Amino acid sequence: MILEKIEQLLQEAKNMTAENAEQVEELRLKYLSKKGALNDLMTEFRDVPPEQKKEVGIKINELKQLVSARINELKAQCETKDNTDEGIDLTRTAYPTKLGTRHPLTIVRNEIINIFGRMGFSLAEGPEVEDDLHVFTKLNFAADHPARDMQDTFFVETNNTDVTKNILLRTHTSSVQVHVMETMQPPIRVICPGRVYRNEAISARAHCFFHQIEGLYIDKNVSFTDLKQVLLTFAREMFGNDTKIRLRPSYFPFTEPSAEMDISCNICGGKGCAFCKHTGWVEILGCGMVDPNVLDACGIDSKTYTGYAFGLGVERITNLKYQVSDLRLFSENDIRFLEEFNAAGV
């Protein structure tokens, strides 16, 4: 009779379930308390014939271990479930945690990268501490070019007898393009975002560091028409389908021919306002066909391949998009300014 009770209790123990801590406690009282089933079995055990005591004792001990293990398991499950379902974290502060947002420069940077990414440009990045060879020499800068002067460039180490050994903070992300051209063969289609540094006085319109995104495309039969179409597509994706562009002749050591690109003012629609100085146009980037000297310096045959390059300032595009009048606001970490962009991007 007692063996039958033990078998029945063993089956009950194997099938025990509980939804919460209260039900677990009820099971513990039912089986393990002084008035529980196991205590009743120990009372009956006294009357078991001597020849059966060993067998019955083993069964009771097995039952006790199973019930204890099962109750502990259910208790752990309920504790985990309670913490998960109710979201209770006793280590959290009692004060509400405010959600942040991405920095406006990051929002615009990501948008620019996405636009060019949809046109087939991949991402390339490089070091901010560079050498003269990649920042100037291989980009067709003459040895006496003004950009090498301390007024424009932050030099870390200088060797006046050999400019190629000068170490400096990059003044543009074109240095990344040089690294790409040194390690890859055409077709090449990349954009190079990053922070750059120039020794300029800090004001509402200028800073000693800012952010650029430069693009490079090299392949056979690349023309200025290809460049114009890519830039027109970018401008309309960034500022709207009604945006117009114009290209004005300019000069850059690493491109020939070179141009600066303006867009129709996105504030007045090209009619003229204080922002565009009543011209209806706003400059946003420089561009041009890659100079053959640059291709040859980087190990690419300029007789077989041609290419175009362009570069734009992220702060400049952000100013146009959000009409921020002072560049210094981007780096001052003023929470009041940053909170204005909560709805701009995540």
Side-chain angles (χ1 to χ4, degrees):
M1 185 63 118
I2 190 171
L3 287 174
E4 292 178 1
K5 287 184 178 181
I6 294 173
E7 287 296 333
Q8 182 180 351
L9 291 172
L10 281 169
Q11 290 301 319
E12 290 180 7
K14 292 177 182 178
N15 298 323
M16 279 194 299
T17 59
E19 296 295 329
N20 50 52
E22 289 77 11
Q23 292 182 7
V24 173
E25 180 62 15
E26 289 175 3
L27 290 173
R28 189 192 70 79
L29 293 174
K30 178 180 178 180
Y31 291 99
L32 300 178
S33 67
K34 290 183 178 181
K35 296 182 179 180
L38 276 168
N39 195 60
D40 292 343
L41 284 177
M42 294 304 298
T43 302
E44 291 187 38
F45 182 70
R46 299 172 187 169
D47 300 327
V48 173
E51 62 273 13
Q52 292 183 352
K53 281 190 179 292
K54 182 177 180 181
E55 179 184 3
V56 174
I58 292 174
K59 286 287 187 180
I60 292 176
N61 192 50
E62 178 185 348
L63 174 62
K64 183 177 181 180
Q65 291 178 356
L66 178 62
V67 170
S68 298
R70 184 60 183 155
I71 288 176
N72 289 335
E73 182 181 345
L74 292 172
K75 183 178 180 181
Q77 289 177 358
C78 290
E79 289 177 351
T80 302
K81 183 178 179 181
D82 289 343
N83 289 338
T84 303
D85 292 347
E86 296 179 12
I88 298 174
D89 183 358
L90 299 179
T91 64
R92 286 188 60 181
T93 174
Y95 301 100
T97 302
K98 295 182 67 175
L99 295 178
T101 182
R102 293 190 185 277
H103 194 280
L105 294 180
T106 303
I107 295 170
V108 173
R109 173 185 178 274
N110 291 345
E111 187 174 354
I112 296 171
I113 291 173
N114 289 336
I115 291 172
F116 284 109
R118 294 196 296 271
M119 289 190 279
F121 287 81
S122 58
L123 200 63
E125 296 182 311
E128 294 182 6
V129 180
E130 269 286 7
D131 55 34
D132 187 290
L133 186 68
H134 290 86
V135 175
F136 296 130
T137 303
K138 286 197 173 185
L139 289 170
N140 206 33
F141 282 80
D144 58 350
H145 195 283
R148 297 178 185 272
D149 193 277
M150 285 292 291
Q151 293 179 2
D152 296 315
T153 305
F154 288 107
F155 285 93
V156 179
E157 296 178 14
T158 59
N159 184 339
N160 294 326
T161 61
D162 185 356
V163 295
T164 62
K165 293 183 180 180
N166 290 344
I167 306 301
L168 49 94
L169 299 182
R170 66 184 182 190
T171 58
H172 46 209
T173 55
S174 299
S175 58
V176 182
Q177 298 177 4
V178 175
H179 285 288
V180 171
M181 288 187 283
E182 287 177 334
T183 57
M184 294 176 60
Q185 284 297 308
I188 296 171
R189 194 195 299 256
V190 296
I191 51 172
C192 313
R195 181 180 294 180
V196 299
Y197 305 84
R198 294 183 188 175
N199 192 6
E200 298 182 0
I202 298 175
S203 67
R205 299 178 59 86
H207 211 293
C208 61
F209 69 86
F210 51 98
H211 301 80
Q212 282 187 336
I213 294 182
E214 299 197 27
L216 175 70
Y217 176 43
I218 300 174
D219 204 348
K220 295 178 180 178
N221 302 318
V222 177
S223 68
F224 204 97
T225 302
D226 300 321
L227 170 62
K228 181 179 178 181
Q229 186 59 47
V230 164
L231 295 181
L232 176 61
T233 301
F234 163 71
R236 289 180 173 175
E237 287 279 331
M238 194 76 195
F239 299 105
N241 292 330
D242 296 330
T243 303
K244 299 177 182 179
I245 69 169
R246 72 176 183 182
L247 297 169
R248 294 177 287 104
S250 186
Y251 167 77
F252 303 108
F254 36 83
T255 54
E256 179 61 36
S258 303
E260 290 181 342
M261 190 181 91
D262 303 331
I263 63 168
S264 53
C265 181
N266 63 316
I267 297 175
C268 65
K271 296 178 181 180
C273 64
F275 189 83
C276 63
K277 299 179 181 179
H278 301 284
T279 65
W281 297 94
V282 181
E283 177 193 339
I284 66 167
L285 60 83
C287 61
M289 300 300 293
V290 179
D291 193 297
N293 292 333
V294 174
L295 296 176
D296 292 334
C298 296
I300 295 176
D301 186 358
S302 61
K303 295 180 181 179
T304 304
Y305 298 102
T306 56
Y308 61 70
F310 57 85
L312 53 91
V314 179
E315 281 85 349
R316 180 67 169 164
I317 302 298
T318 308
N319 280 346
L320 291 171
K321 199 167 180 65
Y322 299 117
Q323 302 176 36
V324 179
S325 59
D326 193 333
L327 282 176
R328 292 170 294 190
L329 290 171
F330 292 129
S331 56
E332 290 179 347
N333 294 324
D334 188 330
I335 192 66
R336 296 167 300 178
F337 170 71
L338 297 176
E339 283 179 342
E340 295 180 16
F341 298 89
N342 281 336
V346 294

